[in-house]
Amino acid sequence: AWPLRFVAGLDAPAKSVAAIADVGEVWSEARLNEVLASGRPAFVNMTADWCVNCKVNERAVLSQAAFRTALEAADADYLKGDWTNEDPAISSFLKQHCAVAVPLYVVYPQNGGAPRVLPALLTAGTVEEALAWAAQP
């Protein structure tokens, strides 16, 4: 119950900050493959409406201007999958990355290479470093 109290106590993000959180596209395996085939890095966010950690990360990191700046600096695509109703395609993606539930954050480097799975609790520094890594030639 304590984490719910924390989330409930957070101020609602300002409208402009909320818009930053919506910069992503809807995740699909096909869209991810298109991004990777183009040689661009990708930041994949698997989330769910009922996920407390997801909501904390979205408010503390993913809805902040620094996240958008890091995406732009890396020229990365942001793909967001919603597992609220346990979509089978997302379940398969989770299993592929040895995750039993959300949140799952995966950063794919440009021009191929193994992806990096980020921790369930994000920091701005962790995300910025991962995106900078993904943008390296």
Side-chain angles (χ1 to χ4, degrees), residues 2 5 20 25 43 45 55 58 65 97 105 121 127 129:
W2 181 83
R5 221 175 125 203
I20 292 169
E25 297 178 57
F43 185 99
N45 171 8
K55 298 303 177 195
E58 286 171 12
H97 293 283
Y105 306 102
L121 291 175
V127 171
E129 188 277 328

Side-chain angles (χ1 to χ4, degrees), residues 65-133:
F67 175 62
R68 185 174 193 149
T69 300
L71 283 171
E72 290 172 356
D75 194 27
D77 283 74
Y78 175 43
L79 306 175
K80 189 173 178 179
D82 184 356
W83 198 52
T84 300
N85 296 314
E86 297 188 21
D87 178 321
I90 293 174
S91 295
S92 177
F93 184 85
L94 294 172
K95 185 176 180 181
Q96 179 183 355
H97 293 283
C98 301
V100 295
V102 293
L104 175 63
Y105 306 102
V106 184
V107 178
Y108 291 84
Q110 69 178 9
N111 301 319
R116 181 182 290 185
V117 176
L118 301 184
L121 291 175
L122 297 176
T123 66
T126 299
V127 171
E128 290 168 12
E129 188 277 328
L131 285 167
W133 163 83

